[in-house]
Amino acid sequence: KSQRTQGVIIATMTDNDDAKMTEKEAGPTIKLISRTGDPFELPYVAARLSQTVKDAQPCEDDDENESPEDVEIVKVDTPCLEKVVEFLKHYNEDALKEIKTPLEDNTFDGVVQQVWYRDFVKGVDQPMLFDLVTAANFMAIQPLLDLTCLQVSCQLMGKSAEEIRVILNIPKLTADEEAKARENHRWIFDD
Amino acid sequence: SITKSQLQAAGNKIMVRTRNSAKRLKSAVVDKTLFNNDILLSIAPFLDCNELVNLALTSRRLGSKLDHDRSLVEEVARQMISKSQTEEERDALPRYGGESWIALLHELELLRSPLTFDQLIGKKIEYVNGDRSCITTSTDDFDIATGITCNTAICSNHIMRKGKHYTTFTIAGSDQNCYFFGVARPIQGWGKVGLSQFSFFNSAFHAVLRSERTSRWGESNVNFCMYSCAEGHCSWGDWQTPRHEDWSLMEGFGIVGGEVGMLLDLDEGTLTVYKDGRRLGVMKDGLSGEYCWATTSALLYGDGDEQNVRLERGCIPTS
């Protein structure tokens, strides 16, 4: 029993050493701090997908940023930043395949084949989706911006102006405003 | 003590306030996101022009003129064109004064897309297996006096306004070759009328065709110009006086099919013909203004019904 116990202790110690080695190999970490002051820690190699985070570092050459500086993401709330960090960590493990235009398929699932990214976008409500678009734009995370903008676009595809207003909760135009807008784009209504 | 009805009324008020505040939050989030030039520029590439216009029609903030005398959606369309347009595309699509940027983006999309016959005019002309770039005709609706059936197909949504454009018309099928290929002024809405015996040569239609004139036709009197596949003649006119002429390098295909290539050069004002990849020469000059590709079949009763024509955009030939 004591030999077995010692074996477990040795195995545990070995596992911990391996974990420490993996952490060391993962490189330095960085904290991204939300608008309300909540920090989220992640490997710098994942965080630097954000051009804003990268630009906030003292050295232009990433190899010299051994102790990256924490960055305050002043325009992003905690729940949204949490989702952004989740994206950044996963992207570091399994990058999103580039979304090319013109689209080869007019459905979201047809364009985005990677299940994790499909679930990531579909698992959020509309306010969060739009918050993610804004956050991706502010933090200059191109893959996240492409992914979230694609989802927004898919919601608008094939919809009339009235249907888009309902989806986005936009107030109606007056009759005069609508007539003028249609006059400006008359070519599209000609058969 | 509070009554049950008072409690219910209070509960209803809270629900309405909650719904309204949720709506306000949703509006605020959409406001912050969608009414932002950078974000709209990221969303726009995934939408086609029809969808962009519908977006512009949703609200004043998206669709009404702001800075630069352009709406937000118009400005996004302008930036999309500027970022992606090649030099050749810029030469082929100069913007008309006052033209909407979304309309121009629509034209750019068409320039990049496969050519299709958008209008089929006649009683016996149809797509082959639903393929809009391939048509077939038959002799069922023939004119008793002449024994001829005329049907016409036009690429009316692919309007050429400047620069060089090359296309091929490939004839497949049997024993007779009664097709004319070339260009004509863009006309709209004719495909729905179900006209019998329509062709650009038929003087019965000339007055109405002239009434379709717009300022974009320009000053040239070449309103249509077509190559007769069988014998190689040039048929052209201003829809007053049709002309059927020989030209110096003309060659026909006889009774068999083949590939007719046509190069419209709106900088030089010429229409050049290629026969099975070999350049014959300039069939006509003096063209200017807008044109679209067109084909007419003039089948004689008793001709084989097995012919079809495929249209395809091609690269500008180097010789």
Side-chain angles (χ1 to χ4, degrees):
Chain A
K1 187 181 174 181
S2 63
Q3 278 183 334
R4 256 205 320 274
T5 308
Q6 281 179 358
V8 167
I9 291 169
I10 290 166
T12 307
M13 282 173 62
T14 308
D15 282 347
N16 280 344
D17 286 344
D18 282 345
K20 280 180 185 163
M21 281 182 63
T22 305
E23 197 180 287
K24 192 175 173 184
E25 283 166 356
T29 61
I30 186 175
K31 287 199 186 80
L32 303 183
I33 303 162
S34 76
R35 190 169 65 85
T36 46
D38 296 304
F40 294 91
E41 188 165 6
L42 70 163
Y44 176 66
V45 69
R48 68 183 182 188
L49 184 66
S50 159
Q51 193 62 44
T52 304
V53 168
K54 211 170 160 189
D55 290 346
Q57 301 310 311
C59 299
E60 274 188 30
D61 184 351
D62 254 349
D63 291 336
E64 295 181 20
N65 284 318
E66 287 181 356
S67 300
E69 292 186 5
D70 295 340
V71 181
E72 292 183 2
I73 312 295
V74 297
K75 289 198 174 183
V76 182
D77 287 334
T78 296
C80 183
L81 187 59
E82 185 177 9
K83 292 296 290 183
V84 171
V85 168
E86 183 188 343
F87 178 93
L88 290 171
K89 283 178 176 173
H90 185 83
Y91 188 94
N92 190 42
E93 302 293 327
D94 177 26
L96 172 67
K97 290 190 177 47
E98 189 187 348
I99 298 170
K100 292 182 182 168
T101 54
L103 297 176
E104 289 175 356
D105 198 297
N106 61 357
T107 64
F108 185 83
D109 287 356
V111 176
V112 178
Q113 300 286 319
Q114 291 157 285
V115 174
W116 189 92
Y117 290 105
R118 282 185 196 169
D119 293 344
F120 176 81
V121 159
K122 291 183 180 182
V124 300
D125 60 17
Q126 199 174 71
M128 177 58 80
L129 175 64
F130 278 91
D131 275 343
L132 284 170
V133 171
T134 309
N137 185 52
F138 175 71
M139 295 176 70
I141 306 172
Q142 193 61 49
L144 180 59
L145 187 62
D146 288 346
L147 184 70
T148 50
C149 285
L150 174 65
Q151 174 65 343
V152 171
S153 308
C154 287
Q155 291 180 357
L156 307 181
M157 278 179 197
K159 301 286 192 304
S160 67
E162 183 54 37
E163 287 167 329
I164 293 174
R165 283 194 204 108
V166 170
I167 291 168
L168 301 181
N169 199 38
I170 296 174
K172 270 187 157 182
L173 295 175
T174 63
D176 282 346
E177 285 168 344
E178 179 137 4
K180 194 172 178 186
R182 284 181 178 270
E183 184 59 33
N184 286 341
H185 301 294
R186 211 172 61 166
W187 59 272
I188 211 164
F189 300 106
D190 289 338
D191 288 325
Chain B
S1 60
I2 302 171
T3 65
K4 192 176 171 185
S5 59
Q6 280 173 326
L7 209 56
Q8 196 163 8
N12 287 344
K13 271 190 189 168
I14 290 169
M15 274 173 58
V16 167
R17 269 207 301 272
T18 308
R19 270 204 302 272
N20 285 344
S21 68
K23 274 174 94 172
R24 277 197 299 275
L25 171 65
K26 198 174 165 186
S27 295
V29 166
V30 168
D31 254 27
K32 192 175 62 171
T33 308
L34 209 54
F35 304 141
N36 173 307
N37 186 63
D38 290 342
I39 290 174
L40 209 51
L41 200 55
S42 297
I43 292 173
F46 300 126
L47 301 174
D48 66 23
C49 280
N50 286 6
E51 287 154 354
L52 277 180
V53 170
N54 281 328
L55 198 56
L57 290 175
T58 56
S59 81
R60 285 183 64 228
R61 286 186 65 182
L62 286 171
S64 296
K65 292 180 180 178
L66 301 167
D67 298 334
H68 316 289
D69 203 28
R70 286 189 284 270
S71 70
L72 198 52
V73 174
E74 275 279 286
E75 174 57 21
V76 164
R78 187 196 69 78
Q79 288 183 38
M80 282 171 66
I81 293 169
S82 169
K83 275 175 143 182
S84 70
Q85 204 177 33
T86 64
E87 203 175 311
E88 271 176 2
E89 287 170 341
R90 200 170 14 254
D91 290 343
L93 270 184
R95 183 171 171 244
Y96 293 122
E99 185 175 20
S100 146
W101 286 103
I102 300 181
L104 190 64
L105 183 63
H106 175 66
E107 293 297 323
L108 184 59
E109 282 179 1
L110 287 173
L111 188 61
R112 292 170 177 171
S113 62
L115 286 171
T116 52
F117 292 115
D118 307 296
Q119 285 190 72
L120 304 184
I121 311 175
K123 295 237 169 127
K124 290 295 167 185
I125 180 170
E126 58 189 21
Y127 297 117
V128 177
N129 298 324
D131 182 352
R132 293 168 66 92
S133 61
C134 190
I135 51 109
T136 187
T137 58
S138 72
T139 58
D140 288 355
D141 179 42
F142 67 93
D143 180 275
I144 291 176
T146 62
I148 291 176
T149 304
C150 274
N151 293 281
T152 297
I154 308 175
C155 303
S156 51
N157 283 352
H158 300 260
I159 298 173
M160 300 171 285
R161 50 174 89 169
K162 207 83 175 75
K164 294 182 182 178
H165 306 266
Y166 182 78
T167 194
T168 56
F169 297 92
T170 306
I171 311 163
S174 59
D175 55 22
Q176 274 294 340
N177 185 351
C178 305
Y179 278 97
F180 296 78
F181 301 117
V183 296
R185 300 298 188 188
I187 53 175
Q188 301 295 340
W190 287 62
K192 295 179 180 175
V193 187
L195 292 172
S196 184
Q197 303 300 333
F198 179 84
S199 79
F200 294 119
F201 328 117
N202 189 339
S203 56
F205 298 103
H206 283 180
V208 183
L209 284 168
R210 285 199 307 275
S211 73
E212 295 270 346
R213 167 175 275 281
T214 71
S215 58
R216 294 181 181 183
W217 289 17
E219 302 304 318
S220 165
N221 65 345
V222 182
N223 286 342
F224 75 94
C225 182
M226 306 197 87
Y227 167 78
S228 159
C229 217
E231 295 176 4
H233 292 112
C234 172
S235 300
W236 70 278
D238 58 359
W239 292 324
Q240 288 269 22
T241 315
R243 296 168 172 85
H244 303 282
E245 297 173 345
D246 292 354
W247 50 290
S248 58
L249 298 165
M250 77 179 216
E251 271 181 50
F253 282 73
I255 62 169
V256 297
E259 181 190 276
V260 176
M262 305 205 91
L263 173 65
L264 176 67
D265 185 340
L266 286 169
D267 298 330
E268 298 292 323
T270 57
L271 187 62
T272 304
V273 179
Y274 294 72
K275 181 183 171 189
D276 289 329
R278 178 171 57 90
R279 184 179 187 274
L280 297 184
V282 173
M283 181 173 75
K284 185 80 187 87
D285 60 7
L287 287 84
S288 71
E290 288 189 341
Y291 295 97
C292 60
W293 297 112
T295 177
T296 288
S297 74
L299 291 174
L300 192 62
Y301 182 73
D303 285 348
D305 284 348
E306 301 298 317
Q307 295 197 347
N308 60 52
V309 169
R310 174 169 296 282
L311 167 78
E312 201 164 344
R313 197 197 301 281
C315 297
I316 310 294
T318 49
S319 60

